[in-house]
């Protein structure tokens, strides 16, 4: 999330610095992207939680096996 935010801010600043967009264009793009991501989160949050729980359930035996194979440090 931090890397994406830094990239978006840097890209917006570079567009204004190079003179290819007005500050209002960049602000509108930022606001539009925040709205889009927020909307997707609202729509898909329930499904993402279900997928995450299923992945955790499937991976749990593998994780237990791997941790049981770890040897103590010498």
């Amino acid at each position: 999330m931090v890397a994406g935010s830094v990239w978006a801010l840097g890209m917006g600043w570079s567009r204004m610095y190079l003179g290819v967009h007005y500050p209002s264009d960049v602000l509108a793009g930022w606001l539009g992207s925040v709205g889009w991501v927020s909307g997707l989160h609202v729509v898909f949050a329930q499904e993402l939680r279900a997928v995450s729980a299923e992945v955790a359930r499937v991976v749990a035996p593998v994780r237990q096996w791997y941790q049981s194979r770890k040897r103590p440090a010498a």
Side-chain angles (χ1 to χ4, degrees), residues 1 7 11 13-15 20 22 26 28 30 34 36 38-42 49 54-56 61 63 74:
M1 196 160 79
W7 182 83
M11 187 60 66
W13 181 83
S14 71
R15 300 293 92 194
V20 295
Y22 291 111
V26 173
W30 286 338
V34 167
W36 182 259
S38 298
L40 288 177
H41 177 72
V42 167
R49 274 190 233 108
E54 183 65 19
V55 168
R63 180 177 294 174

Side-chain angles (χ1 to χ4, degrees), residues 46-60:
Q46 186 78 14
E47 289 82 2
L48 290 175
R49 274 190 233 108
V51 168
S52 177
E54 183 65 19
V55 168
R57 185 187 68 79
V58 169
V59 171

